[in-house]
Amino acid sequence: MLLGDVIYISRTLTMLTLYFVHCLVGIGKDFEDDLEFLLQGVSEFDLTNGVVASEVLVHGPLAFPIGTTEDGRAFLAGAYYGQGRVVVITHEGLLRRETLAPFWNNAIHWLDEGRNGVVGVDPELDEAFNLFSKSEFKCEKTNLREDLSVFVCTAYSDEHVEEIQDFVAEGGGLLIGGHAWWWAQTHPGENTLTDFSGNKILNKMGLSLLEHIIWEGSFKAPVPSQAIKDTYHFRHLLHRFAGHVTEGEDLTEREEEYLKKLGKDCANYLRMKAHDCSSYTQVVSSLTDIIKKSNMPQVCDSCPVKSPKEHLLLSVAAEVYKVCPDPDALLPYLIKDNPLMPVVYNHRIKINANTAGEEEWISTGLYLSPGMKTYMSTPAEIVNEGWEIQIGCQTDHLEHEELKRAPCVHERFPVTSEMMQVWNLWGGLIYLVAPPDTQVEGVEVTVQMAVPAPYYKAGVTTAADWLSLRTAPSPWAELEFDNIILTVPSDSVRSLDRPDELAAFWDNIMRNIADLAAKPHKFPRKERFVTDVQISYGWMHAGYPIMTHQSTAAELVSVDHIRSEGLWGPIHELGHNQQRDCWEFPPHTTECTCNIWSVYVHEEVLGINREKAHPNITLEGRKSQREEYVKGGKDLSSWEMWVALETYMQLQEKFGWDAFKKVFAAYHEMSNFPEDNPGKMNLYAVTFSQTVGMNLSAFFKSWGWPIETATEEKLSNLPSWSDHPMVQYD
């Protein structure tokens, strides 16, 4: 419950009652009696059979969790609001579940408060109405009415937000169901806490639906007498943590375990930006005080963060900085080493964009220092058209036990006006993000003040320009070539004398990647590599951008290194970005077919034989993997990665690279692909066979592929590949 903005106070309440309510906001309430009532005859909560629920953030002092996962995430919660009550379940389908009927019976009685009034059920909840009607309740299918005792609805409409809030504040009961994860996935860039319809109703009641998913399962109901002590509660733990920081109070082992979750919940809570609510400002003030009195970890590669307390501080730092009354005063507590850098003023940037089905980052060659604010002027034609300004290139969200940077270090600002102020606590390179299906040419953006970055753009930056640009003060640099952009620490390019040679080298690599994929040389969107002190998973991972560790930066920008040592990992990730579902058989080929590009580029561009390109594809290694697979009975479940690559290498050694190019080209002309692996594998066998003019059914069957009789019949008119390499194992 958010006092001042949330609670309806009847005119008959006395000043004493007001004082009492205010005290409750400060110290919370013992909900043991409520849980005793709600959990009578309930031993577990059945969220099985495909349920995908949301987590609910229980943040009000008069709100409490009822059902949680083992790690403390709530999917069912209740709250007092004004003179009424509310219960929320984070999937509306659970309102009709028979196994939960005993709980719904208790919940409706709790919400009704002994009035024996009418339970109004939204007409859309037909099955829930049928379930509730089996009890003794007076149920009616109806929209919200003042004479109802309890109203049951979903969280998917914001047509009657104030009416529902008033209904509860004046003494009504609300049972509401719904999740926010699907809304969040389909509304990227929007604030789930403030923009999702269900939260417009629930935030004031001390409850908020999050985009975080709770997967199906069966969860034990808490023991009421233990729940108060053991169950995670946002307000209670925040109060305890504040005492720990400011007064030196010891935390229990259980409380320590929940600190990381508290950090994430604080960050979510702060995104409500309810500045006109005293309860919200109280939390902001408390967290600001905590940060000032804590020793904020100055996280980096040599000073990683491991403790739950430090995790919490890193999680909330950026959000507190954004919403506190005086962020400039807080900044020195957050970032202690923040030297001034030389800046440029009123820097103009010409923007050209022609995006297809995906967004595209447009580099500016500018950087903002940590906490540095600047204004950006954008033309009217891109305002409110889906464009965004992004500060920071490292977009991975980290969930690691040991952190070498904050979990999230980039910020995005939707372009909603021609003049905008932007910033990022952690600093970062400045980008314009063009939305999909957008075409603009020659529009001009002006950045009021920023730090110049070492930025080379092929065809634009001259050799003389580069000699001065490479010493620009930004810690991050970008090299933009025809089809790829490399974002690396500036130190790795300070001595780069000939970026034009590096550009030509990468252009050749990218042309060959396109050739193998049977695509035009000009990529619809330039690939991006971004280096980081830590990434979300793996040594590298594909996507936009491809993420890799900082230690690989020197390799990416050195022609000599690439020519002598190869570049398996980066080409592997570029290969991932070429994979297509129609000829992919996950999980078997997920980490396999991308390596076709690695082998091709090493042999055709770098002149490095496949045996030397990677230790797992030496002749001995290939033979060992092949024989191990055969020894295991050619079980397709073990046909993955290197052993799967052997299948494709055998095809390549027989039919050459042109066969692969023609096969990929053939797929570009197809549509209506099978969705299952057996169907896709048979299509691949047919396509490859017809491309090379030879029946490959026996070859693929020797590898354990589920080749159907219909496929064999379709290919029976072609000469058979009878001496294929797997014959010896048949």
Side-chain angles (χ1 to χ4, degrees):
M1 182 180 68
L2 302 178
L3 189 63
D5 186 44
V6 301
I7 189 166
Y8 172 87
I9 310 266
S10 132
R11 293 179 182 176
T12 59
L13 284 175
T14 64
M15 291 301 293
L16 181 60
T17 308
L18 281 168
Y19 175 77
F20 175 68
V21 172
H22 185 75
C23 288
L24 281 178
V25 172
I27 64 172
K29 177 186 182 300
D30 183 345
F31 301 105
E32 184 174 345
D33 291 345
D34 300 290
L35 289 172
E36 288 279 7
F37 188 96
L38 287 162
L39 297 174
Q40 290 177 72
V42 179
S43 59
E44 65 178 8
F45 296 107
D46 173 21
L47 272 66
T48 57
N49 298 319
V51 170
V52 182
S54 276
E55 181 180 355
V56 57
L57 174 59
V58 184
H59 55 77
L62 296 181
F64 58 99
I66 301 170
T68 68
T69 61
E70 291 181 359
D71 58 353
R73 293 174 298 136
F75 53 82
L76 177 62
Y80 287 83
Y81 177 67
Q83 298 178 62
R85 300 175 178 184
V86 58
V87 169
V88 59
I89 183 74
T90 60
H91 195 296
E92 73 284 1
L94 296 170
L95 291 169
R96 63 174 182 262
R97 181 153 294 188
E98 291 274 358
T99 53
L100 294 177
F103 177 77
W104 297 134
N105 184 65
N106 296 344
I108 293 174
H109 275 299
W110 184 77
L111 294 167
D112 177 65
E113 296 188 69
R115 292 184 292 265
N116 294 318
V118 176
V119 177
V121 182
D122 188 295
E124 293 183 359
L125 294 170
D126 191 60
E127 293 179 73
F129 172 81
N130 293 337
L131 179 62
F132 299 157
S133 296
K134 292 177 183 178
S135 258
E136 70 274 18
F137 305 117
K138 304 169 190 173
C139 291
E140 293 182 17
K141 284 186 187 178
T142 177
N143 292 316
L144 181 64
R145 306 196 314 254
E146 288 184 5
D147 64 320
L148 297 177
S149 177
V150 177
F151 182 55
V152 186
C153 65
T154 69
Y156 305 130
S157 172
D158 56 7
E159 290 183 9
H160 304 288
V161 171
E162 290 185 6
E163 293 93 325
I164 292 173
Q165 290 169 344
D166 289 345
F167 170 75
V168 180
E170 293 170 15
L174 175 66
L175 175 54
I176 184 169
H179 56 74
W181 60 265
W182 176 251
W183 185 92
Q185 289 180 13
T186 54
H187 293 76
E190 296 189 45
N191 187 336
T192 306
L193 269 291
T194 57
D195 300 336
F196 175 60
S197 55
N199 287 333
K200 292 178 183 179
I201 298 169
L202 290 168
N203 284 348
K204 290 184 175 184
M205 300 177 183
L207 302 162
S208 298
L209 294 166
L210 303 178
E211 65 267 29
H212 308 314
I213 288 174
I214 290 180
W215 297 103
E216 66 174 300
S218 184
F219 304 101
K220 289 182 179 179
V223 178
S225 59
Q226 291 295 312
I228 305 305
K229 182 172 63 174
D230 295 339
T231 302
Y232 169 86
H233 194 287
F234 172 76
R235 284 295 180 111
H236 174 73
L237 187 54
L238 179 57
H239 176 74
R240 292 277 295 129
F241 183 67
H244 170 69
V245 170
T246 60
E247 306 296 334
E249 297 173 3
D250 291 334
L251 297 176
T252 67
E253 185 177 339
R254 187 74 165 169
E255 288 170 335
E256 288 270 4
E257 291 173 0
Y258 279 138
L259 286 184
K260 280 176 66 176
K261 175 170 172 52
L262 177 63
K264 294 177 183 177
D265 285 349
C266 285
N268 279 314
Y269 176 81
L270 292 172
R271 293 185 189 116
M272 281 194 289
K273 300 178 181 177
H275 297 291
D276 56 347
C277 170
S278 62
S279 186
Y280 180 87
T281 57
Q282 185 184 60
V283 171
V284 172
S285 176
S286 178
L287 287 170
T288 304
D289 195 43
I290 286 170
I291 287 173
K292 287 182 175 180
K293 292 182 179 177
S294 299
N295 185 20
M296 185 72 188
Q298 302 300 293
V299 62
C300 61
D301 192 13
S302 60
C303 186
V305 156
K306 301 178 183 179
S307 75
K309 175 182 175 180
E310 290 179 320
H311 270 268
L312 186 157
L313 292 170
L314 275 183
S315 294
V316 303
E319 299 302 325
V320 174
Y321 177 75
K322 282 186 277 190
V323 301
C324 72
D326 190 356
D328 290 338
L330 186 62
L331 185 60
Y333 293 93
L334 298 170
I335 298 176
K336 294 173 182 176
D337 183 19
N338 192 13
L340 289 174
M341 295 183 184
V343 298
V344 292
Y345 293 95
N346 298 321
H347 189 86
R348 296 181 178 182
I349 304 151
K350 290 282 188 183
I351 299 295
N352 298 309
N354 188 2
T355 61
E358 300 173 296
E359 70 174 29
E360 183 174 351
W361 301 3
I362 299 171
S363 302
T364 66
L366 298 173
Y367 170 85
L368 288 183
S369 300
M372 179 180 177
K373 296 180 173 66
T374 193
Y375 282 94
M376 291 182 65
S377 170
T378 57
E381 65 187 277
I382 72 170
V383 173
N384 292 319
E385 293 294 333
W387 286 71
E388 293 180 285
I389 297 166
Q390 177 174 302
I391 313 299
C393 56
Q394 288 90 1
T395 52
D396 271 8
H397 289 257
L398 305 186
E399 297 283 345
H400 305 302
E401 290 298 316
E402 180 176 296
L403 292 173
K404 297 181 180 180
R405 67 157 170 84
C408 178
V409 291
H410 76 287
E411 291 286 350
R412 277 198 175 185
F413 300 83
V415 178
T416 56
S417 64
E418 292 182 47
M419 182 67 72
M420 294 182 58
Q421 189 181 49
V422 296
W423 67 91
N424 180 8
L425 170 63
W426 310 109
L429 292 169
I430 304 174
Y431 301 90
L432 270 295
V433 182
D437 306 313
T438 295
Q439 186 170 357
V440 299
E441 187 171 351
V443 302
E444 191 172 85
V445 172
T446 302
V447 181
Q448 175 214 23
M449 178 179 66
V451 177
Y455 175 49
Y456 175 88
K457 187 170 185 177
V460 176
T461 309
T462 67
D465 290 338
W466 176 247
L467 289 178
S468 59
L469 279 172
R470 68 180 180 179
T471 61
S474 159
W476 293 100
E478 288 202 319
L479 305 173
E480 181 170 349
F481 307 142
D482 284 351
N483 280 314
I484 195 166
I485 303 169
L486 309 177
T487 307
V488 295
S490 294
D491 288 347
S492 63
V493 300
R494 300 287 190 208
S495 59
L496 179 63
D497 295 322
R498 295 290 305 275
D500 55 329
E501 289 185 350
L502 182 65
F505 186 74
W506 269 105
D507 289 345
N508 189 29
I509 289 175
M510 299 306 290
R511 278 196 301 273
N512 276 272
I513 285 173
D515 280 341
L516 181 57
K519 292 180 178 179
H521 286 170
K522 179 64 178 174
F523 280 48
R525 175 178 69 175
K526 296 182 181 184
E527 297 277 20
R528 280 185 176 272
F529 272 95
V530 172
T531 57
D532 198 352
V533 67
Q534 190 175 23
I535 65 177
S536 56
Y537 60 92
W539 180 245
M540 301 180 189
H541 68 74
Y544 184 82
I546 296 169
M547 294 298 305
T548 181
H549 288 78
Q550 282 181 198
S551 56
T552 63
E555 303 170 12
L556 293 173
V557 300
S558 171
V559 174
D560 291 342
H561 176 91
I562 297 171
R563 284 200 180 281
S564 62
E565 303 296 326
L567 203 64
W568 185 275
I571 306 303
H572 170 99
E573 302 307 338
L574 288 165
H576 270 306
N577 284 357
Q578 294 300 317
Q579 288 174 321
R580 292 187 63 201
D581 183 64
C582 52
W583 46 259
E584 272 294 287
F585 323 127
H588 310 294
T589 56
T590 303
E591 293 299 326
C592 159
T593 51
C594 52
N595 285 328
I596 296 173
W597 273 266
S598 291
V599 175
Y600 180 78
V601 168
H602 278 75
E603 292 192 338
E604 300 299 307
V605 181
L606 306 181
I608 300 175
N609 183 274
R610 64 190 61 181
E611 285 194 63
K612 296 180 180 179
H614 197 284
N616 281 328
I617 51 173
T618 62
L619 287 176
E620 285 184 7
R622 290 172 59 184
K623 180 182 178 184
S624 173
Q625 290 152 13
R626 214 167 42 230
E627 292 180 348
E628 189 72 21
Y629 178 67
V630 171
K631 198 178 296 182
K634 299 180 182 177
D635 184 354
L636 205 59
S637 65
S638 61
W639 184 75
E640 291 184 356
M641 204 165 181
W642 300 111
V643 71
L645 183 64
E646 174 66 7
T647 304
Y648 295 93
M649 291 298 94
Q650 289 179 352
L651 288 169
Q652 192 278 327
E653 287 162 352
K654 171 68 175 176
F655 301 107
W657 288 116
D658 278 350
F660 280 85
K661 295 175 184 179
K662 291 175 182 176
V663 167
F664 289 137
Y667 271 92
H668 294 321
E669 304 300 319
M670 298 183 201
S671 58
N672 300 319
F673 301 103
E675 294 185 1
D676 62 300
N677 277 351
K680 290 194 288 185
M681 295 172 95
N682 277 272
L683 175 61
Y684 191 86
V686 169
T687 305
F688 213 111
S689 295
Q690 292 175 341
T691 297
V692 300
M694 185 172 283
N695 183 351
L696 306 181
S697 296
F699 168 74
F700 287 114
K701 286 182 74 174
S702 289
W703 272 105
W705 284 31
I707 300 301
E708 299 167 355
T709 302
T711 297
E712 295 180 284
E713 291 174 353
K714 186 179 291 186
L715 300 174
S716 60
N717 63 326
L718 295 174
S720 179
W721 186 17
S722 56
D723 60 345
H724 62 79
M726 297 299 287
V727 166
Q728 59 184 310
Y729 302 114
D730 286 343

